Amino acid sequence: METCHRYRAPLLICLIILGLRLPVIGAVGLGDSEAYYWTWSENLALSYFDHPPAVAYLIRAGTELFGDTPFGVRITATLLTTATLFVVYLAGETVAGAAAGLLSMGVLLSMPLFIVGSVAAAPDAGLSLCTALAVLFYVKARRCAESGDRRAGAYVLLAGLFFGLGFLSKYSAVMLLPGVVAAL
């Protein structure tokens, strides 16, 4: 029961944000980049000229469920960026407690690029979620290693998995590595 209460505020924030985003994603036509990525989703491949494939697969999933509409094209990106908010909370909470987690969410929500990008179908949606998950599992691995917990190895593997998935979203995921190396 305590766990449910512990996550009540961040989950409520995520649901409110999602509720505000959903009407917007279907109300505006696609931008040039979104239409470009949508054409990729019509012809799935393992790579494209200037991006890895994740955005095309995510758009395909949305359009399979909701049709070739702006809503269908954007729904997965909107869900992923909303999930990113919760994962950022978890990372902040793991490092310094619930107040830090809520503050981390607030900082992310104050960034105009995150606000605008959260309602657009772009590679950044997958990248942001995977980066947040990689950071979360890296922090958990460090905590476990410091206390001698044997789960540290599993958390390192999960951090690596999400780093790799982030790289499938956008090649700039590689920029996470210098931060990890510096922290080591």
Side-chain angles (χ1 to χ4, degrees):
M1 188 65 176
E2 183 179 316
T3 300
C4 291
H5 179 69
R6 182 172 130 199
Y7 296 131
R8 185 176 298 155
L11 286 173
L12 182 61
I13 291 168
C14 289
L15 288 173
I16 290 169
I17 295 300
L18 182 61
L20 294 171
R21 290 176 178 169
L22 287 178
V24 173
I25 65 173
V28 179
L30 297 179
D32 293 344
S33 294
E34 291 175 306
Y36 182 52
Y37 301 141
W38 172 77
T39 62
W40 292 354
S41 76
E42 294 295 301
N43 301 289
L44 294 175
L46 295 178
S47 184
Y48 298 94
F49 176 70
D50 55 354
H51 283 296
V55 68
Y57 285 83
L58 291 169
I59 290 172
R60 170 64 76 87
T63 57
E64 287 292 323
L65 292 171
F66 298 102
D68 289 327
T69 64
F71 187 90
V73 169
R74 293 183 180 123
I75 185 65
T76 52
T78 301
L79 293 173
L80 291 179
T81 54
T82 304
T84 299
L85 273 175
F86 187 70
V87 174
V88 164
Y89 168 82
L90 292 174
E93 179 196 45
T94 300
V95 170
L102 290 171
L103 180 62
S104 299
M105 289 177 83
V107 168
L108 190 57
L109 285 170
S110 71
M111 296 178 181
L113 186 58
F114 182 78
I115 294 168
V116 173
S118 66
V119 293
D124 303 277
L127 175 65
S128 66
L129 179 60
C130 289
T131 300
L133 284 165
V135 167
L136 171 65
F137 289 122
Y138 173 76
V139 167
K140 286 183 171 286
R142 290 288 301 255
R143 288 279 163 102
C144 287
E146 290 167 0
S147 67
D149 189 328
R150 296 176 60 156
R151 293 178 295 172
Y155 285 134
V156 167
L157 291 175
L158 286 169
L161 170 69
F162 286 106
F163 167 74
L165 291 173
F167 194 73
L168 288 174
S169 293
K170 197 168 183 179
Y171 294 130
S172 60
V174 76
M175 297 308 294
L176 185 59
L177 286 180
V180 170
V181 170
L184 290 174

